[in-house]
Amino acid sequence: MAELGFNEHHQNEVINYMRFARSKRALRLKTIDSCFQDLKDSRLVEETFTVDEVSEMLDGLQVVVHSEVETELINTAHTNVLLLRQLFSQAEKFYLKLQTDVSELENRELLEQVAEFEKAEFTSSSKKANQESNKPKLAPLNEGGVSELLNKEIARLQEENDKLKARLRTIEMQATSALDEKSKLEKALKDLQKIQGDQKEITNLEETVTALKSDFQKTLNASSATQKHLEDNLVTTKHDLLKVQEQLAVAEKELEKKFQQTASYRNMKEILTKKNDQLKEIRKRLLKYEPDE
């Protein structure tokens, strides 16, 4: 492990980014230096200046430097976003989720560690470059022997790399298919749960309807029994009424018969008979004295 805790490959990537950042920083510093140099060449042509003139020159220089620094900071931020985009894109291909801790970007201890790493790395790199420039160059390999073996090894490595890429694509397709299948299964499970819920509701409704039918049948049976009982009572009552009417008629006849056999009835009947006879006699007399005209 290296000083920053990376493996060799990632450390080389960090070094490449530092080299890029150093080149951009050097270019921007040259631009700022040129701003000061332009001010000297264009404005500092006289030996004396007033306070207002100096203030005006400094204000103009401030605007130019501010714009250059702001542009560089914005460009650096956007460059870092593009770098994160590359890392996140590579991680998402393997279904990884990376996380960042922005608070660590202001960790002074880590910043000093990075600065020391950069200083040591690029100081040693410049020394290595000087040493390499002083070393004799190797003669190019001939067309046979070692060159042929290297070409075969390169071809073998290239073929293995292609196989690994094909295998990676297959794994990615399988993973995508598995995710799609998982989504389908989850949807099917939700649909099944919904169907089960609907089936349960239907079962409850069927049970309710069955209970209502049973209650209605019981009520209907009870009503039929009650109706039949009322009809029987009605028939019985009619029979009783006829019997009572018959008994009443007999009783009236008996009463009338008994009344006719009493002395009062005979006397009354004789009186009525006499009165009727007297009325007939009076009518005859009236006819004699008052004949019809």
Side-chain angles (χ1 to χ4, degrees):
M1 302 300 290
E3 296 178 8
L4 293 180
F6 302 141
N7 57 30
E8 184 177 358
H9 172 75
H10 289 160
Q11 179 170 304
N12 291 332
E13 293 295 323
V14 171
I15 293 172
N16 290 334
Y17 178 75
M18 284 185 171
R19 185 176 292 109
F20 168 77
R22 283 169 64 88
S23 64
K24 298 291 291 183
R25 185 167 64 245
L27 179 62
R28 189 57 59 184
L29 290 175
K30 286 183 180 179
T31 303
I32 294 175
D33 291 340
S34 66
C35 293
F36 284 88
Q37 188 63 41
D38 291 341
L39 178 64
K40 292 179 182 179
D41 296 339
S42 61
R43 301 295 302 272
L44 300 181
V45 294
E46 301 179 3
E47 294 182 356
T48 58
F49 294 93
T50 63
V51 174
D52 293 337
E53 291 175 340
V54 173
S55 178
E56 180 186 356
M57 287 188 290
L58 291 177
D59 290 341
L61 180 61
Q62 179 184 3
V63 172
V64 175
V65 173
H66 181 275
S67 177
E68 290 292 335
V69 173
E70 182 181 18
T71 301
E72 178 59 21
L73 292 175
I74 294 174
N75 184 67
T76 301
H78 293 173
T79 302
N80 291 333
V81 172
L82 293 180
L83 181 62
L84 291 173
R85 178 176 178 271
Q86 294 180 14
L87 297 176
F88 292 158
S89 298
Q90 293 179 18
E92 288 177 359
K93 290 181 179 180
F94 296 95
Y95 306 99
L96 299 177
K97 294 182 180 180
L98 303 182
Q99 293 181 345
T100 59
D101 188 357
V102 181
S103 63
E104 289 294 325
L105 300 179
E106 296 182 353
N107 190 321
R108 298 306 307 174
E109 182 179 354
L110 293 178
L111 290 174
E112 291 175 0
Q113 184 178 353
V114 173
E116 292 176 359
F117 174 78
E118 180 182 10
K119 181 178 179 181
E121 181 62 33
F122 285 96
T123 301
S124 61
S125 298
S126 60
K127 290 181 180 179
K128 289 179 181 179
N130 294 330
Q131 291 176 1
E132 291 293 334
S133 62
N134 295 329
K135 288 182 179 180
K137 302 293 184 179
L138 293 176
L141 297 173
N142 53 19
E143 294 300 327
V146 178
S147 178
E148 184 177 356
L149 292 175
L150 289 176
N151 288 332
K152 289 182 179 181
E153 182 66 17
I154 291 172
R156 186 187 67 80
L157 293 175
Q158 185 65 36
E159 183 180 359
E160 185 177 355
N161 186 37
D162 293 338
K163 290 180 179 179
L164 290 175
K165 288 182 178 179
R167 184 180 178 186
L168 178 61
R169 286 194 295 270
T170 303
I171 293 174
E172 289 178 349
M173 292 176 62
Q174 292 176 350
T176 303
S177 177
L179 290 175
D180 293 339
E181 187 67 22
K182 180 182 177 182
S183 299
K184 291 180 181 178
L185 291 175
E186 289 178 350
K187 186 176 182 300
L189 179 60
K190 290 181 180 179
D191 293 340
L192 180 60
Q193 292 175 348
K194 183 178 179 181
I195 292 173
Q196 290 178 347
D198 295 340
Q199 186 64 34
K200 184 177 181 181
E201 185 176 354
I202 292 172
T203 303
N204 293 334
L205 289 175
E206 290 178 349
E207 292 177 354
T208 303
V209 171
T210 303
L212 290 174
K213 286 182 177 179
S214 178
D215 293 339
F216 178 74
Q217 188 63 37
K218 291 179 181 179
T219 304
L220 183 61
N221 294 335
S223 299
S224 299
T226 303
Q227 183 178 2
K228 185 177 180 182
H229 181 69
L230 290 175
E231 290 176 353
D232 294 339
N233 290 338
L234 181 61
V235 172
T236 303
T237 303
K238 286 182 177 179
H239 290 166
D240 294 339
L241 179 61
L242 291 175
K243 289 180 180 180
V244 171
Q245 289 177 350
E246 185 179 357
Q247 292 174 358
L248 181 61
V250 172
E252 287 179 350
K253 289 180 180 179
E254 291 290 335
L255 181 61
E256 184 178 358
K257 186 177 180 181
K258 289 180 179 181
F259 180 72
Q260 290 176 358
Q261 292 176 357
T262 59
S264 299
Y265 177 77
R266 286 194 299 270
N267 294 328
M268 187 178 294
K269 189 174 182 181
E270 290 177 357
I271 294 171
L272 288 174
T273 301
K274 290 179 179 181
K275 291 291 182 184
N276 288 330
D277 293 338
Q278 291 176 0
L279 287 173
K280 289 179 180 179
E281 185 66 25
I282 293 171
R283 286 177 181 172
K284 288 180 179 180
R285 290 177 181 180
L286 288 174
L287 290 173
K288 289 179 180 182
Y289 294 106
E290 295 180 0
D292 293 334
E293 294 179 358

